[in-house]
Amino acid sequence: MAFSKAQEQAICHGQGPALVLAGPGSGKTTVITNRIRYLTQGEGVDPSSILVITFTRAAAREMKSRYQQMTGTEWTKVTFGTFHSVFFTILKLAYGYTGASIITEEEQGRLIRERMEVYRVEAEDAGEFVSGILNEISRVKGEMIRLEYYYPQICSQEIFQKIYRDYEGRLRQERRIDFDDMLVMCYELFRERPDILGAWQKKYRYILIDEFQDINRIQYEIVRMMALPENNLFIVGDDDQSIYRFRGARPEIMLGFEQDYPGAARILLDQNYRSTRQIVQAAGRVIRHNQARFPKEIRDVRGEGRSLVIRQWPDSRKEAAAIASQLRDYRKLGLPWEEMAVLYRTNTGPRQLVETLMEYNIPFSMRDVLPNLYDHWICRDLMAYIRAGKGQISRADFLRIMNRPVRYISRDALEGRVVDLERVKSFYQDRPWMMERVEQLEYDLHMIKGLAPGAAVNYIRKAVGYDDFIRDYALERRLDREELTEILDQLQESGLRYKTMEQWEESIEAYRKELERQQEGRKEKQEGVSLMTMHSSKGLEFRVVFILDANEGITPHHRAQLEADLEEERRMFYVAMTRAKDRLHIYYAGERYHKKQEVSRFVKEIEDDAGTDSHILWGRQRENQRGTGTGGAGGGKRA
């Protein structure tokens, strides 16, 4: 097998630390597996003294399989594993832990829910709160932060500290550990027991780490200890693809590696074997706007390729319809569905697209769990209003809506499983101001009864005052009002497509069943067009990629305010672009929910740096134009 000069240099690196910068599609797995062979067959290194660390079990299995195929053996003494599997092995031998010692996600959730009851924590979405708390506990451990100095985002500092201490106390009491404890306890073990550390240093004289840009602080500190005294630390990664800060990854660790190891070799794998020149150059124009990175120029190997297609669509519905139409066109040209992907910033982004693909009967698979918009508590509130407007009001529905917005109606005013508003008014007959409020609610329900779904949602938001309730609710609980308002916007947009509630409810049920089917099929072989977040696309490649909703506020996300956040958002967009092998379509909407939308700054960066000779097809699609364009037709250069 022929290697590039840079690959050869990395594979044949001698002793001491090495930093290998591996751009997208540059063959990093090939370099790592061939370096192992070079060490064992070329330098006579004992295979059992080599440790290869990856971030996922799938990556470890693939790396091991590739190495075994290369060497023609079914078994190898080289250790391949994730950080957690390697560190847990160390803890098993030191403390006698077994697999049963690891707390499951279900048990973690149950434990946090218990604490919520004890401390009377109220959350509309308990699952979201539990997930948020566990993420913050993980951050405290992974970043080695003292609890008293940590300021949580999900709740008050006082409540978080109580839940954290109770959670840790329960684990220690039951002699259980979570995944973060594997790191913390291994770090503490090595600090307190030099003899144990020394034994592992002697065992693993060569350490190779894949995807090093995703490492966190405690993982790095443990690895640094294990690599002593020879420091045969061979790290491979791409600082431009570090997109997991929310999980504790610290790209600055990779950027500072040469300061920690002044004599380290730096090798740049600068040839992209995956994507065409147009894609490689466009992605490069975006990522060079980041400041905190190693300067590098990635070169293509495959040649010119087809032009990028960058288009504005009038709204998200037409954007989704265009993607569905173009996917069908690619299929007619002989491209398998599995060679195409649609990427988006968050897992709430593709709802419109999913419904459109269902209408077009295009098979698809989702890598991420897509939250069902219609299961959100805001949707349940609106549906309760609409059902109540039909006549018979259940107690459950009335409890949802009676104080949203606040009317100060008491539970004591309710009798039985069905609510009679005449009895409620009778309960407040000595309080005229409360009578007025109940009468106003009665009038609003009567008005809702005769409205089509979209109009009903709009009436609840504006006339009833639900938008004002959401504003106050978000303010009081320190939630993102914009995200809650978007839920309302999506529901209203969905409702506008139907004339009757029956039609809307049928559509909602079909959508729910499709999401359930997708959830059940996630462990099976993925068939159809791939739909996934930019995060989930990392490490994958497709012949055709569509980037959905390249709008400001979506990508970059509206929460990204600090420069470090914006640079991470840009890296995400770069990762999404570089998943494409042959064709890349970047789409954005001119309007969402009747509000004008701005194109993403990342798209502008492609345009601003492109020059007049750029092979990019720009287009603002008119409503009377057919939205196929698989060959890039229909859009000239943007004026």
Side-chain angles (χ1 to χ4, degrees):
M1 180 178 180
F3 301 112
S4 71
K5 186 176 179 181
Q7 287 176 330
E8 188 78 37
Q9 184 184 354
I11 291 166
C12 300
H13 170 73
Q15 301 289 309
L19 164 64
V20 180
L21 297 172
S26 60
K28 64 183 179 62
T29 303
T30 297
V31 165
I32 293 173
T33 51
N34 277 279
R35 171 158 178 76
I36 300 168
R37 182 165 66 174
Y38 170 77
L39 289 173
T40 55
Q41 297 179 6
E43 295 294 312
V45 173
D46 180 356
S48 64
S49 69
I50 299 173
L51 171 63
V52 183
I53 304 179
T54 66
F55 277 83
T56 66
R57 282 180 293 183
R61 285 195 299 268
E62 183 192 355
M63 196 85 71
K64 183 176 182 179
S65 174
R66 290 270 291 270
Y67 178 68
Q68 288 173 330
Q69 288 174 10
M70 178 190 302
T71 55
T73 60
E74 294 183 3
W75 185 79
T76 176
K77 293 181 180 180
V78 176
T79 300
F80 294 85
T82 63
F83 280 101
H84 288 103
S85 67
V86 170
F87 295 164
F88 184 59
T89 299
I90 293 169
L91 295 179
K92 279 198 296 187
L93 293 171
Y95 299 125
Y97 283 122
T98 67
S101 307
I102 305 170
I103 188 170
T104 66
E105 286 185 23
E106 187 179 343
E107 290 172 318
Q108 284 180 305
R110 199 158 50 236
L111 204 162
I112 300 301
R113 281 186 169 87
E114 286 175 12
R115 297 300 92 195
M116 288 173 68
E117 289 183 19
V118 169
Y119 298 119
R120 298 180 180 178
V121 175
E122 291 185 14
E124 280 292 348
D125 190 329
E128 193 174 291
F129 182 85
V130 169
S131 175
I133 284 287
L134 290 172
N135 283 339
E136 303 225 39
I137 289 173
S138 178
R139 193 171 297 131
V140 169
K141 294 181 179 183
E143 297 182 23
M144 307 169 71
I145 303 170
R146 289 179 60 176
L147 182 60
E148 57 268 32
Y149 296 149
Y150 183 74
Y151 295 93
Q153 297 178 341
I154 197 77
C155 62
S156 71
Q157 189 177 24
E158 178 187 3
I159 289 294
F160 178 74
Q161 289 183 0
K162 286 180 178 178
I163 292 176
Y164 183 97
R165 291 192 176 103
D166 289 357
Y167 172 82
E168 284 293 279
R170 178 75 69 85
L171 289 186
R172 300 295 86 82
Q173 179 186 338
E174 298 178 359
R175 203 168 183 271
R176 307 287 294 282
I177 60 174
D178 62 22
F179 280 95
D180 296 294
D181 288 330
M182 294 180 193
L183 311 183
V184 173
M185 295 177 76
C186 196
Y187 174 77
E188 291 172 347
L189 175 68
F190 283 171
R191 288 285 301 269
E192 295 165 8
R193 293 290 302 273
D195 56 327
I196 293 177
L197 171 61
W200 288 102
Q201 287 171 335
K202 287 177 184 174
K203 175 169 178 55
Y204 292 126
R205 294 182 50 238
Y206 292 85
I207 300 176
L208 295 82
I209 304 178
D210 187 24
E211 304 284 10
F212 187 80
Q213 75 279 351
D214 296 330
I215 201 164
N216 69 21
R217 176 55 59 187
I218 197 164
Q219 290 166 339
Y220 184 50
E221 293 301 331
I222 296 170
V223 165
R224 289 195 71 189
M225 287 191 278
M226 288 181 70
L228 289 169
E230 296 169 89
N231 290 329
N232 288 321
L233 196 52
F234 186 85
I235 68 165
V236 182
D238 183 5
D239 53 306
D240 289 334
Q241 295 187 70
S242 179
I243 58 173
Y244 294 118
R245 280 176 69 238
F246 70 99
R247 289 185 193 165
R250 289 291 167 260
E252 58 269 22
I253 292 175
M254 187 171 190
L255 293 170
F257 185 79
E258 290 166 310
Q259 293 178 335
D260 293 332
Y261 296 95
R266 185 202 291 191
I267 304 160
L268 172 62
L269 304 182
D270 61 349
Q271 289 184 305
N272 183 320
Y273 296 90
R274 174 192 301 151
S275 307
T276 62
R277 183 171 307 155
Q278 299 306 325
I279 295 167
V280 171
Q281 290 182 350
R285 286 194 287 272
V286 172
I287 200 63
R288 72 167 64 116
H289 285 263
N290 272 5
Q291 299 300 310
R293 64 185 291 261
F294 290 109
K296 61 182 85 71
E297 289 292 332
I298 303 299
R299 297 177 291 122
D300 66 278
V301 173
R302 293 184 53 204
E304 195 77 17
R306 303 291 295 276
S307 302
L308 269 69
V309 181
I310 301 179
R311 283 190 180 155
Q312 180 193 69
W313 299 92
D315 54 43
S316 51
R317 188 182 303 180
K318 289 185 174 61
E319 179 186 21
I323 290 175
S325 179
Q326 290 164 10
L327 289 169
R328 281 205 308 204
D329 283 357
Y330 276 119
R331 184 70 190 91
K332 287 174 184 174
L333 292 172
L335 193 66
W337 295 119
E338 292 73 24
E339 289 286 348
M340 297 178 266
V342 184
L343 311 182
Y344 35 84
R345 173 61 183 84
T346 68
N347 62 3
T348 59
R351 181 195 58 81
Q352 178 76 63
L353 178 66
V354 167
E355 293 183 354
T356 303
L357 294 180
M358 288 168 62
E359 289 175 14
Y360 277 67
N361 290 317
I362 293 176
F364 62 92
S365 61
M366 304 185 70
R367 194 174 175 89
D368 312 275
V369 175
L370 179 64
N372 189 346
L373 169 72
Y374 306 109
D375 285 342
H376 196 281
W377 61 267
I378 288 178
C379 183
R380 294 201 295 269
D381 283 357
L382 298 190
M383 291 302 182
Y385 264 111
I386 292 170
R387 282 193 299 268
K390 290 180 178 180
Q392 195 174 59
I393 310 172
S394 72
R395 181 184 178 90
D397 280 345
F398 195 77
L399 286 171
R400 289 202 73 89
I401 67 176
M402 67 183 189
N403 287 311
R404 295 184 171 188
V406 176
R407 299 181 180 92
Y408 300 102
I409 299 175
S410 168
R411 285 172 176 259
D412 297 336
L414 312 184
E415 295 178 12
R417 298 174 68 178
V418 177
V419 175
D420 183 346
L421 289 178
E422 291 301 321
R423 288 187 180 180
V424 177
K425 285 189 280 186
S426 176
F427 181 85
Y428 289 113
Q429 61 185 342
D430 57 340
R431 284 167 272 182
W433 65 91
M434 286 301 299
M435 285 273 287
E436 286 179 18
R437 287 173 179 161
V438 179
E439 287 172 352
Q440 181 62 47
L441 174 57
E442 188 175 32
Y443 172 80
D444 287 335
L445 294 178
H446 175 73
M447 291 297 294
I448 291 167
K449 181 179 181 180
L451 297 174
V457 173
N458 187 59
Y459 186 90
I460 296 165
R461 295 182 65 178
K462 308 303 180 186
V464 175
Y466 195 84
D467 274 6
D468 294 334
F469 160 72
I470 286 295
R471 178 197 63 208
D472 297 339
Y473 183 92
L475 189 64
E476 181 183 342
R477 289 165 173 77
R478 295 191 297 172
L479 298 174
D480 189 329
R481 177 189 173 190
E482 194 171 327
E483 289 188 2
L484 296 182
T485 301
E486 185 170 342
I487 297 291
L488 286 163
D489 289 336
Q490 288 189 40
L491 286 167
Q492 188 167 339
E493 179 186 65
S494 174
L496 285 169
R497 300 172 65 186
Y498 304 94
K499 293 180 179 178
T500 68
M501 274 305 300
E502 289 71 26
Q503 290 174 341
W504 197 23
E505 287 168 349
E506 284 177 16
S507 168
I508 290 171
E509 184 58 28
Y511 183 73
R512 177 178 283 111
K513 286 181 179 176
E514 177 60 30
L515 291 188
E516 289 172 357
R517 191 184 70 79
Q518 289 287 335
Q519 176 66 12
E520 290 169 4
R522 285 181 71 214
K523 293 181 181 178
E524 301 170 7
K525 184 181 178 182
Q526 301 293 294
E527 296 181 349
V529 178
S530 294
L531 309 187
M532 67 187 74
T533 62
M534 294 177 180
H535 278 113
S536 295
S537 72
K538 188 166 176 290
L540 303 176
E541 58 183 40
F542 303 91
R543 286 184 62 186
V544 176
V545 167
F546 291 83
I547 294 180
L548 180 73
D549 291 335
N551 286 97
E552 199 71 9
I554 297 176
T555 177
H557 196 272
H558 70 268
R559 282 188 182 176
Q561 299 296 326
L562 302 176
E563 190 59 35
D565 297 328
L566 288 170
E567 293 215 346
E568 173 123 330
E569 293 285 321
R570 189 176 280 108
R571 290 194 292 269
M572 252 184 286
F573 199 80
Y574 176 75
V575 165
M577 293 179 73
T578 53
R579 298 312 91 197
K581 295 163 69 174
D582 300 331
R583 301 303 309 276
L584 175 61
H585 298 253
I586 302 176
Y587 290 167
Y588 56 100
E591 180 181 286
R592 282 166 64 87
Y593 319 125
H594 306 292
K595 300 169 191 167
K596 190 177 183 301
Q597 299 293 301
E598 292 294 324
V599 62
S600 169
R601 69 189 68 186
F602 305 146
V603 174
K604 290 181 179 178
E605 287 166 1
I606 298 173
E607 180 182 23
D608 292 345
D609 295 349
T612 56
D613 296 326
S614 170
H615 289 257
I616 298 177
L617 294 174
W618 304 90
R620 282 191 175 85
Q621 198 71 18
R622 302 287 187 265
E623 291 195 34
N624 62 353
Q625 285 180 295
R626 182 169 180 264
T628 54
T630 52
K637 295 226 177 138
R638 192 160 69 183

